[in-house]
Amino acid sequence: MEYRPQEMETRWQEYWKANQIFRVNPDSSQPKYYCLEMFPYPSGKIHMGHVRVYSIGDLIARFKTMCGFDLLHPMGWDAFGLPAENAAIEKNLHPSLWTTQNIASMRGQLEKLGLSYDWDREVTTCLPDYYRWNQWLFIKMFERGLAYQKEGSVNWCPSCETVLANEQVVEGECWRCARLVIQKRLTQWFLKITAYAEELLSSLTTLTGWPERVLLMQKNWIGKSSGLELRFPIVGRAESLTIFTTRPDTLFGVTFLCIAPEHPMVPLLIEGTSEREAVLSFIKKAQGQDKTVRTSLTLEKEGIFTGAYGHHPLTDEKIPIFVGNFVLMEYGTGVIMAVPAHDQRDFEFATKYNLPIRIVIAGPTGVPTGAYVDEVGVLVDSGRFTGLAVQEGQKAICKFVEKKGVGQEKIYYRLRDWGISRQRYWGTPIPILYCKQCGIVPVPLSDLPVLLPEDIPFTGKGGSPLSQSPLFANVVCPKCHLAASRETDTMDTFFDSSWYFLRYLSPHETKAPFDSPSAARWLPVDQYIGGVEHAILHLLYARFFTKVICDLGLTNIREPFSNLLTQGMVIKDNAKMSKSKGNVVNPDVLIDQYGADTVRLFSLFAAPPEKDLVWSDDGVQGAFRFLTRVHRMVSRYGGSEMIVPVGGADTLGVGTPIYRMTQRTIKRVTEDIEKFSFNTAIAALMEFYNFLSHEMEHPQTAVPFYKETVRGAMDHLVLLLSPFAPHLGESLWEMLGHPPSISQVAWPSYDPAWVEDETVEVVVQINGRIKAKFNAQAATPDEVLQKRAFDEPKIIAAIAGRPIKKIFVIKGRLINIVL
RNA sequence: GCGAGAGUGGCGGAAUGGCAGACGCGCCAGACUUAGGAUCUGGUGGGUAACUCCGUGGGGGUUCAACUCCCCCCUCUCGCACCA
């Protein structure tokens, strides 16, 4: 019988569907396992990256199912987003229609891969069923002060008259019309993720199942720094400037202050001074610089004296105040104290403008070439703190400053609040009304969902599309019943993906985002799998939402994903597969040619999951050959006349080489899957096949119950292969005379007593170099092995009568004789 | 600049102190065949006629024994980057 994957795969996909094999069993008493892969954006077609991540997830899900877990393995669509809107502009196709069509075709592709999803739980974020709960969550956050409005800057294309996402700004220009993008200040909605900054940071240590580098990226992103906030009174005025420093120990080395050009205190500083005009033109120049230029390290540090002075609260000196292009308004207080002796930037600035450099930490000499920034040394020239070590000095100065009432210790985070307003159509409408009488009014929960209007022309111009619909925008205030207007911005689509894993728990729930008993049963996600490109934003937002939702009393978990696997990219011709590079491989073509099992097997075999996978058409061919060979062996030797009862098979032929090999393979495959070493698990299966096929070509007739032993081995080969190549697994299982479905058969266990070979090859070394080898019974005592070594002619020759210093015996493996 | 990860045959990769190169691809030879881009069998790190010698980015070290542990350096990938 020939291996024809196409017919076989269709047949089993239909069987699984008709028999609801992968539907979650609500009455199960088995331990739960929630296996989740990041859901895709429905762009229209799946690519190899999808094939890879879903193959990994499906393997884990099928393996865990066979291991006796009750599986939740859902799939859905991250269905809001810009491409749909662009398609609408370009092809005059409504985003909802475009998205629905894409989902239908992509679902078909995923089904063709034979993935074990419970499709009854499919979640689609652009449906009102889903996004009404976005609105619900938004209002809950608004009520708690976690959603608020403020002015923020956005990328704005003056010719398209629209806001652009950061990814749409290509080298400072609009991706569509190449017009220079400007920064525009708009009032936007923000989520107060900073309120959770400390917990988002500190609980990273509890995420032991996450890759170290993702934890590190999150840590850096949150960017906690503790230091001292200190007020410098402005000489001759009532106001003062507040600075932030992480090096309070260098306070006595301050020789000037530097303020950001955008700082609101600047006009006050230069009021009526002779420097006013010069400073204003400097500020104008600095603000004209692009944001990325402004913050690049290569930017020449420039500044100008304001004419004003600050009063050093500890030394009572007059300190000149400069405006500096390298000082950022967005971080800290927007003002810095400059200590050129101990900060490289301050040093460069001071050198350029001939400002004094005062050493206050005793370290190595040689200051003129750079600043001494190490936090090692002793304070010098620092008044009453002189002589203290750096660490002590920091503590003492903070304490002194606080006591004196001129400042306090303070913690700053790099993390900013999350601006979620998008001047777009294809997203969740923000459920807020603006009433002249009552101000900002959230839409009453009973009025949700706020539906997206249908009567919108897609021009790509004129700001928020929703404002074009008078029917949508003009409403009556629910409080005072006077005319009010609707918020016409929609939400960032990251909002949608921040909690979709909760919606899977009870996707048809109509009273809440999800029901609590389901949450208690399934949370947290046991294994999350996705691309490392989401290491920061999506995963940070999802963690934030989980904490908020817990604080709303809806769950009792504070971290959503216990274990995270980040898979590498799919590479071809030394580049990531992409349309623009022209190096894409179409999964459909491969599935038509080789079948889904082959494509899946190759994706798992070619590289460890977290590494990049180099695509190889020949490698796919190799995977296909392997499956063909297994198929041929089972159809040739696994005839039903040889049926033995399941469970009975493995008691036959105990101790034979075939039996031992079977046991060893079960162990290897099980352990390799558990540590995500799928490539070596498949290698073990290949070795098992090679061994078996060799055995069958040269049968060892002395083995009792030979046929039955081989049968047991084939049963196990098929079982172990089935989560990697599920369709073939089903067919071969059937061919071996078992009833379907193999996906519900228990994963085999092994007897540790039989995983080792009966005989071992022992290597004999002289001074660490191999001189001889011999075979011995595995259980041979060390002394006997040692004696055997000395009987080897090559060893005798190598020793040549010289005295022996020492002998090392590694049990059952190696003997090293040191001369 | 800071941080993380990686560097092993012609290629993807395996081995976490104990036989370097499992498994696969490719290649070579043979078998079957009208035919082979199908299938099967055997071989395949390099040098050498051979004994053997060399070999895991480079250099040093620890050890009876190092791809593996330690120190220095080089290259590549990713992340962050005037963060006060």
Side-chain angles (χ1 to χ4, degrees), chain A residues 650-668:
Chain A
D650 52 6
T651 62
L652 294 167
V654 172
T656 61
I658 296 175
Y659 183 83
R660 285 173 186 270
M661 185 64 181
T662 308
Q663 295 296 304
R664 180 156 70 244
T665 304
I666 297 169
K667 177 179 156 75
R668 284 176 68 188

Side-chain angles (χ1 to χ4, degrees), chain A residues 749-769:
Chain A
S749 56
Y750 60 91
D751 184 345
W754 298 110
V755 297
E756 298 301 337
D757 266 329
E758 221 169 346
T759 60
V760 289
E761 192 181 43
V762 181
V763 173
V764 190
Q765 297 179 328
I766 303 284
N767 289 341
R769 317 200 75 109

Side-chain angles (χ1 to χ4, degrees), chain A residues 2-10 13 45-46 48 51 108-114 585-600 615 620-621 624 727:
Chain A
E2 209 178 320
Y3 176 41
R4 285 208 191 80
Q6 293 77 12
E7 301 156 32
M8 177 192 289
E9 292 182 355
T10 312
Q13 283 158 18
K45 275 192 172 142
I46 63 165
M48 276 303 162
V51 172
Q109 288 181 298
L110 294 185
E111 282 171 349
K112 266 176 74 181
L113 275 169
V585 174
N586 183 350
D588 278 340
V589 174
L590 284 172
I591 293 170
D592 287 345
Q593 194 176 351
Y594 297 110
D597 284 340
T598 292
V599 179
R600 293 171 54 148
W615 194 261
V620 179
Q621 178 80 40
F624 179 73
H727 311 87

Side-chain angles (χ1 to χ4, degrees), chain A residues 11 66 88 97 237 312 392 437 501 570 640 692:
Chain A
R11 185 184 146 218
M66 291 174 82
L97 197 61
R237 289 195 168 271
H312 195 304
E392 279 86 338
Q437 308 285 318
F501 51 94
V570 182
S640 52
L692 275 181

Side-chain angles (χ1 to χ4, degrees), chain A residues 793-805:
Chain A
K794 287 194 173 173
I795 297 303
I796 296 166
I799 295 173
R802 281 178 287 174
I804 288 151
K805 288 201 187 116

Side-chain angles (χ1 to χ4, degrees), chain A residues 667-735:
Chain A
K667 177 179 156 75
R668 284 176 68 188
V669 174
T670 307
E671 290 176 355
D672 284 354
I673 294 177
E674 274 164 356
K675 61 180 189 203
F676 300 149
S677 183
F678 309 131
N679 53 337
T680 54
I682 293 166
L685 290 169
M686 288 172 168
E687 284 181 59
F688 190 29
Y689 163 81
N690 291 342
F691 175 88
L692 275 181
S693 75
H694 192 262
E695 278 295 308
M696 272 175 259
E697 300 306 321
H698 313 281
Q700 299 178 27
T701 45
V703 175
F705 306 113
Y706 177 74
K707 284 185 174 177
E708 292 79 358
T709 307
V710 168
R711 267 291 311 226
M714 280 193 293
D715 274 352
H716 283 102
L717 174 61
V718 171
L719 273 176
L720 297 174
L721 179 63
S722 69
F724 296 91
H727 311 87
L728 181 63
E730 293 280 15
S731 284
L732 299 183
W733 194 241
E734 185 181 51
M735 223 180 269

